[in-house]
Amino acid sequence: MNTPQSDHIPQEAFDWYDEYAHGLIDRRTFMKKLGGLAALGFSMTVLTGALLPNYAQAEQVSFNDDDIKATYQVFDSPDGHGSGKGYLVVPTNTQGKLPVVLVVHENRGLNPYVKDVARRLAKAGFIAFAPDALHPLGGYPGNDDEGRAMQRTLDRTKIQNDFVAAAHFLKAHPNSNGKLGAVGFCFGGYIVNYLAAVDSNLLTAGVPFYGTPASESLHKNIKAPLMIQLAELDKRVNATWPEYEQSLKSNNVDYTMHMYEGANHGFHNDSTGRYDEKNAELAWQRTLAFFNNHLS
């Protein structure tokens, strides 16, 4: 019997990974569920290789690219953990004031995929800054499992305040044109929704990828246009959309929602089998066009 390829892995496996990645089941339960697929001819090597991240696959823009310069920057966060740290990437071939974009990671710290997203933005002409919520604990530890466990130990309100501080830090960059965008994935998508809602004057435009909304009591503050990126198979996040959409309509928010057919939660992350190249590229081109339209 031939070993099934990753694109033939049952949808249940992707759903179990989503549950595991968001703390709804532990690793032991996740691996046990995957083991149950052995009867269908799947080896654990194929399953884990498709579902767990391989960051060697996620580099689209090298940190050595001559068109960008990447450094780490520390910023003050008095209402958060005191200080924060992030990955700042600036274009080297563009002069004058530039739009700035905050890049917000998933629920596991600043991993290589999110750093690459920041480099992609700088390559496209934006100043990009990707903070690491795990800075108070020494930073992203090098693997997602440990990073996810570390992030769960941090106070959520302080994390949110760290990202607010990071947004102010980036907006005040000497080469900023004063217009701030934000893009985030999963937990980062939530943070983008939160930044838009916590302060009407903070964001100029936001693109949350498969992120849940901020508290409804804050929705009245949203003034920035939003591009909502959702995955058709992402039942957990999509369940929050109808109510959020009604709230956005009630508050006259300028928003667009794109639902990506056949895509899983995390479809933009090119380090796992959830990656959907066609939908990811479409979503990214829409993101760049949205930022160019609102931030230039």
Side-chain angles (χ1 to χ4, degrees), residues 178-294:
K179 294 183 178 181
L180 172 68
V183 61
F185 309 89
C186 184
F187 164 79
Y190 161 77
I191 290 293
V192 173
N193 284 322
Y194 176 78
L195 292 175
V198 73
D199 181 350
S200 299
N201 299 313
L202 186 56
L203 280 192
T204 308
V207 183
F209 275 74
Y210 27 84
T212 54
S215 171
E216 186 177 1
S217 63
L218 297 176
H219 293 180
K220 63 182 182 297
N221 299 325
I222 301 176
K223 302 300 181 187
L226 299 175
M227 176 177 283
I228 313 291
Q229 312 272 35
L230 298 177
E232 182 185 25
L233 303 179
D234 188 2
K235 297 177 182 177
R236 179 180 57 84
V237 171
N238 293 350
T240 69
W241 172 242
E243 187 174 348
Y244 188 29
E245 181 178 35
Q246 186 56 51
S247 182
L248 294 176
K249 288 180 177 178
S250 298
N251 289 286
N252 297 311
V253 176
D254 177 7
Y255 77 92
T256 303
M257 188 277 283
H258 296 293
M259 182 71 72
Y260 293 90
E261 183 178 358
N264 279 287
H265 181 95
F267 72 87
H268 185 266
N269 186 334
D270 51 358
S271 69
T272 79
R274 299 177 298 166
Y275 176 56
D276 183 325
E277 183 176 5
K278 181 179 178 181
N279 280 322
E281 182 60 23
L282 175 58
W284 188 244
Q285 292 307 315
R286 285 171 169 168
T287 298
L288 293 179
F290 184 75
F291 283 150
N292 278 318
N293 182 41
H294 291 286

Side-chain angles (χ1 to χ4, degrees), residues 55 105-106 108-116 140 144 269:
Y55 287 121
H105 59 67
E106 303 144 310
R108 60 211 68 173
L110 183 59
N111 60 34
Y113 153 65
V114 178
K115 290 167 70 176
D116 192 67
Y140 177 71
D144 280 15
N269 186 334

Side-chain angles (χ1 to χ4, degrees), residues 75-85 102-110 129-137 146-168 185-192 194-195 198 202:
F75 58 92
D76 292 331
S77 181
D79 296 323
H81 289 94
S83 69
K85 186 176 182 179
L102 192 74
V103 184
V104 190
H105 59 67
E106 303 144 310
N107 64 338
R108 60 211 68 173
L110 183 59
F129 187 53
D132 188 353
L134 301 183
H135 172 63
L137 301 177
E146 189 177 347
R148 191 181 298 113
M150 290 168 63
Q151 188 160 325
R152 281 200 296 265
T153 69
L154 292 170
D155 181 273
R156 188 179 180 91
T157 298
K158 287 187 176 182
I159 291 178
Q160 292 174 169
N161 289 339
D162 285 340
F163 281 104
V164 171
H168 284 290
F185 309 89
C186 184
F187 164 79
Y190 161 77
I191 290 293
V192 173
Y194 176 78
L195 292 175
V198 73
L202 186 56

Side-chain angles (χ1 to χ4, degrees), residues 17 20 27 30-31 47-54 145 271-273:
Y17 178 77
Y20 163 60
R27 183 179 178 87
F30 170 58
M31 298 301 287
L47 292 168
T48 57
L51 296 171
L52 300 177
N54 177 358
D145 278 350
S271 69
T272 79

